[in-house]
Amino acid sequence: MPISMQLPDYLVDRDPNRCITCKVCVNQCANDVHHWDKDVDSVIAEEEKCVNCHRCVIYCPTHALKIRRNPTEYKENHYWNSSTIRGIDRQAEGGGVLLTGMGTDKPIPIYWDRLFLNASQVTNPSIDPLREPMEIRTYLGSKPDNVIIKDGKLIKELPPQLVLDAPIMFGALSFGAISLSAVKSLAKAATDCGVMWNTGEGGLHRDVYEYGKNCIVQVASGRFGVDAEYLNAGSAIEIKIGQGAKPGIGGHLPGEKVGEEVSKTRMIPVGSDAISPAPHHDIYSIEDLRQLIYALKEATRYTKPVSVKVSAVHNVAAIASGIVRAGADIVAIDGVRGGTGAAPLRTRDSVGIPAELALAAVDSRLRQEGIRNQASLVIAGGIRNSSDIVKAIALGADACYIGTAALITMGCRMCQTCYTGKCNWGICTQDPKLVKRLNPEIGAQRLTNLIHAWSHEIKELLGGMGINALESLRGNRLMLRGVGLSETEYRILGILPAGE
Amino acid sequence: MLREGEIRIPSGCAISGIVNKQGVRFSGRDVIKSIALMHDRSNGLGGGFAAYGIYPEYAEHYAFHMYYDDITIKDYTEEFLSSRFNIAESHEIPTKKVASIKNSPIVWRYFVKPKSEFIDEDCGCDEFVMKIVMMINAKFDGAFVASSGKNMGAFKGVGYPEEIGEFFRLDEYKGYIWTSHGRFPTNTPGWWGGAHPFTLLDWSIVHNGEISSYGANKRYLEMFGYQLSLQTDTEAITYAFDLLVRKHGLDIETACSVLAPPFWRNMERMEPAKKEMYTALRAVYGNLLLNGPFSIILGTSKGIVALNDRIKLRPLVAATKGDNLYVSSEESAIREICPSPDNVWTPKGGEPVIGMLEKEETRDAYQYATA
Amino acid sequence: MKRVYAREEVCAGCKLCEVYCATAHSEYPSSILKAFQRQETRPVARILVEVDQPLTFALQCRHCEEADCTQGCITGAMTKDPETGIVTNDESRCVGCWTCVLVCPYGAIKRDESGHKVASKCDLCSNNDTNPICVQKCPNNALIFAEISKGGD
Ligand code: SF4
Ligand code: SF4
Ligand code: SF4
Ligand code: SF4
């Protein structure tokens, strides 16, 4: 066999003074990096298999392990850098499309970090969230232009709404891509926190039907697991047109991941590949989308809001406007940093636009057209923390989806090898021995802690701005100033530079 | 330096208002005295009044109070006005020399009715007047419509409120509603249009506070065709009332519950029909919620409404005496003109104080006294 | 009595329970490094993780009501405390005949031949109150210490 040109990405650094040869690392690494060598009575590593997932590092009881980047340098070259060369090597030896997992790791400008929030000083007081009520409840769904009231009574009911206790939802993560333990963790946490989780295109497993009230059920191009019961099991339906990590591309769940449970839930045979086509083959135009939206509303007797999720592409503002006019109650926009279980590397890293710009453009456009209240706007694709959320809301979002942040909360270390099915943290895998590693009670508790912590932080930030209701921040771009952006970026974001 | 309208200027303030619920008209002397007592709450950079019932002889005409920077723009604007309106009367608003009042614009008054060719089903008289007012204020450099309602007017400018009152000789007018405002801007607004009250048709607002939700309110109102050319909270509040009451047909009290809605947790405790109504109002109009500290007095030809923010971050006191309702930033400013009220209270945050006329007709205090 | 129960559905099979059990019952109960590096012989865990992937669970003495080990013990070293119900082996009396090892239906007794031969088994960390070390240290809450009236797994 010709020699491989690929160097190990990481080195496993085991401190011999601390290693007690307990073999915990051996039994925990699903990539079979660690081996106990009987002859020398010590644990050794096959480093080329290591993906730097930290499972062994965190489980080693004596902290004997460190994972380091392979320090071997390629000849310095700004253009032909090591990751470029390694990509070519992988293809030279394997011959396939480069696959990857999670969102892009390229240095795309992070607009969130260029935006700064306001705070009250002297001319109006900031509000202490520990002393005063601070309201972050959010209603998602179509709002009429006006409310008609007669004799103190509402004349016309509101269209169906989703009520969120915080403007945060767990983004679409399908059962199949993620484990049932992960699904259960998300479902339970969403229910405990009064927010929403999203089935992704993986159907709704029997065990989580009980969390339907806090669930958005997704209908994607593969229509996996979709039937009338499924549509009615959630509180909202989302038509997935695209996702930020791979705009224009469908999904492919390899047959190995389609075990008994996934097969039942997705309603496909065990072991068959689950392929979602790139487009919905019944949606080739906006009027087709309208038909599907109304078919779903009909199927659920107009009791559930229908969301349409698209990836942020160049023409996203016009597309969003079309989606609203087609009758969607919620528009979800997934920016270029959105995560995924598996995507072609080149698509992930270079197709789509950043969520911040897409959000600003869509919100402005919908307002210009006077249809902003006909649909709620949900933004996704790289929301990292509570201040990102606050900034997103000031730019015009009604709520945010978090996907990657939720995965990290459950233990994901962003090793980006979700597509291998060997997730050592039991999140992105169907291997029963790995799935067990994520205890849904612990997962749910961690997610609940995160949502609560972020809610507190959102309240702090609001209070600082002298605001005690989230509605007053929504689209309030005066609360934002930018640093180091171009004229064009200021115009698109609709904000002023700091100092002005 | 940028003038108000080009930038946003935070201010602190004093407000005071009086209504006689029987529609009895009385002179502007009381309200000047009341606002003057709160001299220290303003800094001489803005004061103003709104008065209702002052033009009974032109009650069916829109009374335009115009401020002009110079004769050229006056001529230009007048030409425009006469192309759109039949002007029944036009004259300079009488003023008096006051030492401290400088740089006053040319102040002119017109009583007008829209020409019939501009009015149709889609655009009634009010709608038409509103459009013209917004257009002048946004596009006519150097011209400003201070008020445009029927049988009412705004008198405002740069100075302490009592000086502005003297300048406009308000003791010579008689109205059944008077509201007033003294301003403490953190920056000089530099021009008279920026002072309070802000008006639109017969709505007028005086307001103490700084609205942190301004950006959200503004962008929401813009969706309904309002142009917020002044970048002031007062303008936003006025348009919010206009949208909710005039365009969407809510009553004043319900409109107040949009601007200062009940907390979600309090809604939980309401009976279902009420809860449903408040939930819908808040879900739909959430962007109109006024956040941050404020106390406002809304004037309309039918009465006044005083409202505080939900957690009462600005002062507001109310009192009654006979048919009179008084509202003010400070109790002392009420007692100054009404030493022994029947009732004095501090309204809760978000709870409107409403003083509506009990009859349509109005009469003069003098006639009332002799009747 | 309270017993340690395994929840195999969330046991990661990591065997950290074994490491901590062994340490807690070593000469250096507070230091893993010292327990494994200073003690002359490798410390023995009294809990055993059974692995037949994907099945994994940790097993230790059930502290049976009618304990075969106490009945089979030839020296009376193995006794059940009438109050706490904990079955312990008095190592000074144990002669290492391994009768108990043979009779225990769970295979919960290990032979410790590091010094004077003794039967080594779970003593619930000598209490029936606070969580034994394995329960405390299990990273995935796969062990619980609880009173479950009948059976339980
Ligand atoms: S887990 Fe740590 S102590 Fe145990 S064998 Fe691995 S490196 Fe050594
Ligand atoms: S793949 Fe993960 S568990 Fe395996 S050696 Fe690398 S970091 Fe450790
Ligand atoms: S420590 Fe917990 S998860 Fe690990 S093997 Fe023991 S019981 Fe299982
Ligand atoms: S050692 Fe075996 S027989 Fe003895 S009490 Fe424990 S489980 Fe029962």
Side-chain angles (χ1 to χ4, degrees):
Chain A
M1 196 172 78
I3 196 163
S4 167
M5 306 284 285
Q6 296 182 60
L7 301 174
D9 288 340
Y10 302 100
L11 299 186
V12 177
D13 195 341
R14 190 185 326 269
D15 182 346
N17 293 323
R18 297 191 80 90
C19 178
I20 56 168
T21 60
C22 67
K23 304 183 206 109
V24 167
C25 54
V26 177
N27 67 46
Q28 288 303 289
C29 178
N31 293 312
D32 293 327
V33 171
H34 303 277
H35 293 280
W36 180 58
D37 187 325
K38 223 171 40 224
D39 302 336
V40 289
D41 187 22
S42 59
V43 178
I44 51 165
E46 272 182 68
E47 297 175 314
E48 56 280 6
K49 293 182 183 165
C50 175
V51 300
N52 195 8
C53 73
H54 286 188
R55 179 76 182 184
C56 59
V57 177
I58 288 170
Y59 268 63
C60 172
T62 59
H63 310 300
L65 290 169
K66 276 189 206 70
I67 309 293
R68 287 189 292 126
R69 212 169 56 192
N70 187 344
T72 306
E73 297 282 0
Y74 289 78
K75 170 121 185 159
E76 212 167 289
N77 189 318
H78 185 72
Y79 194 68
W80 295 99
N81 56 23
S82 60
S83 81
T84 306
I85 297 172
R86 284 207 302 262
I88 291 176
D89 283 344
R90 271 169 74 188
Q91 292 186 301
E93 286 168 31
V97 170
L98 289 176
L99 278 185
T100 185
M102 303 310 290
T104 180
D105 51 14
K106 291 284 168 288
I108 296 170
I110 305 171
Y111 292 98
W112 302 126
D113 294 345
R114 302 287 187 87
L115 302 179
F116 293 84
L117 292 163
N118 196 22
S120 299
Q121 298 288 289
V122 185
T123 55
N124 66 358
S126 41
I127 304 169
D128 183 348
L130 297 175
R131 291 162 199 272
E132 304 283 353
M134 194 54 76
E135 302 188 299
I136 59 172
R137 186 185 291 186
T138 297
Y139 279 77
L140 295 186
S142 177
K143 315 284 190 303
D145 271 0
N146 62 330
V147 176
I148 304 169
I149 285 173
K150 222 170 166 188
D151 305 326
K153 280 213 184 70
L154 196 62
I155 294 300
K156 202 165 158 244
E157 266 177 52
L158 281 189
Q161 304 284 323
L162 285 182
V163 189
L164 308 177
D165 287 346
I168 312 169
M169 303 191 286
F170 299 128
L173 294 157
S174 70
F175 173 45
I178 61 169
S179 64
L180 189 57
S181 310
V183 172
K184 285 181 181 167
S185 304
L186 292 162
K188 184 169 187 317
T191 305
D192 291 349
C193 296
V195 299
M196 292 285 154
W197 65 286
N198 187 313
T199 60
E201 57 172 321
L204 192 60
H205 189 274
R206 277 289 144 201
D207 287 2
V208 284
Y209 259 76
E210 59 173 303
Y211 300 113
K213 192 173 157 284
N214 290 74
C215 176
I216 298 175
V217 295
Q218 212 181 48
V219 173
S221 60
R223 299 287 198 275
F224 300 120
V226 177
D227 63 8
E229 190 191 5
Y230 169 77
L231 294 177
N232 282 289
S235 284
I237 302 172
E238 182 166 86
I239 300 171
K240 175 198 152 181
I241 301 291
Q243 73 187 83
K246 41 178 173 178
I249 293 200
H252 180 183
L253 188 69
E256 308 87 77
K257 282 195 170 180
V258 184
E260 193 69 36
E261 296 299 314
V262 173
S263 133
K264 267 195 265 169
T265 310
R266 294 206 174 203
M267 305 176 188
I268 52 171
V270 175
S272 63
D273 286 5
I275 298 179
S276 327
H280 286 244
H281 283 302
D282 52 359
I283 305 180
Y284 284 0
S285 70
I286 193 83
E287 62 275 16
D288 295 343
L289 174 67
R290 186 180 176 83
Q291 284 194 7
L292 180 58
I293 292 174
Y294 279 92
L296 294 173
K297 288 191 176 185
E298 218 34 80
T300 50
R301 302 189 177 282
Y302 295 87
T303 56
K304 298 174 199 300
V306 172
S307 163
V308 175
K309 178 178 168 188
V310 289
S311 25
V313 289
H314 300 181
N315 207 11
V316 68
I319 293 166
S321 157
I323 291 171
V324 176
R325 291 177 193 283
D329 304 291
I330 299 167
V331 184
I333 313 273
D334 196 4
V336 68
R337 281 192 219 89
T340 175
L345 178 81
R346 300 302 169 209
T347 303
R348 184 195 75 171
D349 289 352
S350 45
V351 182
I353 63 170
E356 301 92 317
L357 298 176
L359 164 61
V362 169
D363 178 68
S364 301
R365 177 68 169 261
L366 297 183
R367 282 171 193 267
Q368 275 158 21
E369 297 188 16
I371 54 173
R372 176 64 183 82
N373 38 355
Q374 283 178 28
S376 293
L377 190 50
V378 175
I379 195 74
I383 300 286
R384 299 162 299 173
N385 51 45
S386 60
S387 63
D388 286 356
I389 292 180
V390 171
K391 291 168 188 177
I393 289 181
L395 279 177
D398 286 285
C400 297
Y401 271 137
I402 58 167
T404 304
L407 293 170
I408 293 174
T409 309
M410 289 188 282
C412 165
R413 297 295 89 180
M414 303 287 294
C415 71
Q416 304 184 29
T417 50
C418 331
Y419 61 95
T420 63
K422 289 196 211 157
C423 174
N424 262 328
W425 294 93
I427 301 166
C428 227
T429 174
Q430 300 303 321
D431 181 340
K433 78 166 195 286
L434 299 177
V435 172
K436 291 169 72 177
R437 294 182 177 185
L438 176 60
N439 180 342
E441 292 156 23
I442 298 176
Q445 186 60 54
R446 290 176 65 94
L447 288 163
T448 303
N449 292 347
L450 182 87
I451 299 290
H452 286 165
W454 285 16
S455 300
H456 281 300
E457 289 176 334
I458 292 172
K459 291 177 181 181
E460 290 279 353
L461 290 167
L462 283 182
M465 290 183 260
I467 284 176
N468 63 6
L470 194 65
E471 304 78 316
S472 300
L473 180 70
R474 200 156 277 135
N476 192 345
R477 297 188 188 172
L478 284 178
M479 289 296 167
L480 294 170
R481 290 290 188 275
V483 165
L485 299 172
S486 71
E487 285 284 329
T488 319
E489 287 162 325
Y490 283 119
R491 177 172 55 73
I492 293 167
L493 291 167
I495 60 162
L496 293 171
E500 264 188 35
Chain B
M1 202 168 76
L2 295 176
R3 75 165 203 198
E4 187 147 22
E6 289 153 338
I7 46 159
R8 239 167 90 67
I9 301 174
S11 318
C13 308
I15 56 176
S16 193
I18 315 168
V19 57
N20 181 293
K21 291 187 200 165
Q22 296 299 330
V24 174
R25 308 193 312 142
F26 50 94
S27 119
R29 218 171 300 131
D30 279 1
V31 77
I32 298 177
K33 221 172 142 196
S34 168
I35 197 83
L37 185 90
M38 298 184 284
H39 185 87
D40 285 349
R41 296 186 75 93
S42 35
N43 66 355
L45 290 178
F49 300 82
Y52 290 79
I54 51 175
Y55 302 131
E57 59 279 23
Y58 286 108
E60 289 315 308
H61 287 79
Y62 293 92
F64 272 59
H65 285 195
M66 296 291 311
Y67 292 179
Y68 298 117
D69 283 358
D70 56 49
I71 287 292
T72 328
I73 187 68
K74 175 170 178 285
D75 291 346
Y76 180 76
T77 311
E78 281 183 346
E79 197 176 311
F80 173 73
L81 284 177
S82 49
S83 72
R84 297 296 193 276
F85 296 99
N86 295 317
I87 301 178
E89 164 71 23
S90 127
H91 55 244
E92 189 170 7
I93 299 176
T95 54
K96 179 161 140 191
K97 267 219 169 342
V98 175
S100 52
I101 302 288
K102 296 186 190 87
N103 302 329
S104 66
I106 303 168
V107 290
W108 219 265
R109 177 157 60 201
Y110 307 85
F111 293 102
V112 308
K113 281 185 177 172
K115 290 195 166 159
S116 56
E117 63 257 43
F118 295 106
I119 305 304
D120 57 30
E121 260 176 35
D122 290 340
C123 181
C125 289
D126 282 356
E127 196 69 32
F128 178 72
V129 170
M130 192 179 106
K131 270 192 198 151
I132 297 291
V133 169
M134 285 199 185
M135 188 181 190
I136 297 177
N137 286 349
K139 307 230 167 82
F140 286 45
D141 209 6
F144 182 76
V145 187
S147 65
S148 57
K150 289 179 181 167
N151 198 7
M152 62 81 69
F155 304 88
K156 58 182 188 176
V158 176
Y160 280 101
E162 59 272 24
E163 295 164 355
I164 297 292
E166 201 188 339
F167 175 77
F168 280 112
R169 299 158 59 172
L170 293 186
D171 51 338
E172 294 168 22
Y173 292 81
K174 277 188 184 142
Y176 54 87
I177 293 173
W178 288 92
T179 66
S180 59
H181 186 260
R183 195 172 183 207
F184 197 137
T186 54
N187 200 330
T188 165
W191 74 303
W192 284 44
H196 295 202
F198 183 81
T199 69
L200 179 74
L201 299 172
D202 80 338
W203 301 109
S204 70
I205 296 272
V206 289
H207 146 252
N208 169 15
E210 187 187 341
I211 307 296
S212 347
S213 56
Y214 175 78
N217 307 142
K218 172 175 186 276
R219 294 186 76 218
Y220 185 80
L221 288 164
E222 281 169 352
M223 267 207 325
F224 291 91
Y226 294 93
Q227 294 165 18
L228 285 86
S229 53
L230 291 180
Q231 302 203 34
T232 63
D233 299 341
T234 327
E235 182 186 38
I237 299 170
T238 311
Y239 292 159
F241 271 112
D242 186 70
L243 177 73
L244 294 170
V245 178
R246 194 173 63 82
K247 290 201 180 155
H248 289 177
L250 299 182
D251 60 51
I252 295 253
E253 207 165 340
T254 311
C256 288
S257 79
V258 166
L259 304 190
F263 289 102
W264 293 116
R265 63 172 188 207
N266 295 346
M267 284 189 219
E268 293 304 331
R269 292 197 290 264
M270 291 176 182
E271 45 126 336
K274 231 174 137 190
K275 178 177 162 188
E276 200 194 355
M277 178 183 92
Y278 283 114
T279 304
L281 284 169
R282 192 158 173 194
V284 171
Y285 293 120
N287 255 187
L288 281 183
L289 190 159
L290 298 179
N291 222 308
F294 70 85
S295 50
I296 57 176
I297 306 171
L298 163 73
T300 79
S301 52
K302 296 195 185 73
I304 66 166
V305 179
L307 183 68
N308 244 162
D309 63 270
R310 305 193 297 166
I311 53 175
K312 205 165 172 76
L313 294 170
R314 284 286 148 98
L316 183 67
V317 184
T320 53
K321 171 86 183 175
D323 291 326
N324 280 3
L325 169 73
Y326 301 85
V327 285
S328 175
S329 301
E330 292 182 13
E331 189 177 330
S332 56
I334 296 176
R335 291 198 183 267
E336 174 77 359
I337 49 174
C338 172
S340 49
D342 301 339
N343 216 339
V344 184
W345 74 100
T346 306
K348 281 201 201 120
E351 217 170 70
V353 179
I354 300 182
M356 288 294 149
L357 292 193
E358 279 158 16
K359 44 176 79 165
E360 295 257 307
E361 284 135 48
T362 63
R363 21 183 195 166
D364 287 358
Y366 176 70
Q367 292 164 352
Y368 180 66
T370 54
Chain C
M1 70 177 290
K2 278 171 124 184
R3 291 183 170 85
V4 175
Y5 295 97
R7 300 169 66 207
E8 66 85 14
E9 73 280 8
V10 288
C11 171
C14 66
K15 305 193 180 182
L16 280 174
C17 46
E18 290 185 7
V19 173
Y20 287 102
C21 174
T23 305
H25 294 89
S26 73
E27 286 167 33
Y28 305 95
S30 58
S31 162
I32 302 177
L33 280 180
K34 282 198 231 163
F36 281 84
Q37 289 171 348
R38 291 272 182 92
Q39 188 170 299
E40 220 162 286
T41 50
R42 198 173 170 86
V44 178
R46 293 154 184 225
I47 187 168
L48 176 77
V49 179
E50 296 283 359
V51 179
D52 182 8
Q53 290 292 10
L55 183 71
T56 55
F57 63 91
L59 178 80
Q60 73 296 83
C61 167
R62 307 317 302 150
H63 300 276
C64 312
E65 290 306 334
E66 305 285 328
D68 290 347
C69 59
T70 59
Q71 283 160 20
C73 180
I74 58 167
T75 65
M78 194 73 84
T79 53
K80 184 173 175 75
D81 185 310
E83 266 179 32
T84 61
I86 301 175
V87 174
T88 44
N89 182 20
D90 178 350
E91 299 193 353
S92 62
R93 297 170 76 180
C94 178
V95 295
C97 71
W98 314 139
T99 308
C100 57
V101 177
L102 274 173
V103 298
C104 171
Y106 296 98
I109 307 179
K110 290 195 192 171
R111 292 177 296 189
D112 182 354
E113 299 180 61
S114 55
H116 152 66
K117 284 178 162 190
V118 287
S120 169
K121 64 172 287 299
C122 164
D123 57 356
L124 284 180
C125 294
S126 295
N127 71 63
N128 196 3
D129 193 15
T130 51
N131 282 345
I133 194 78
C134 55
V135 176
Q136 282 176 38
K137 292 292 188 178
C138 173
N140 212 31
N141 291 0
L143 293 172
I144 48 170
F145 187 48
E147 174 121 33
I148 297 177
S149 48
K150 198 100 215 199
D153 53 353

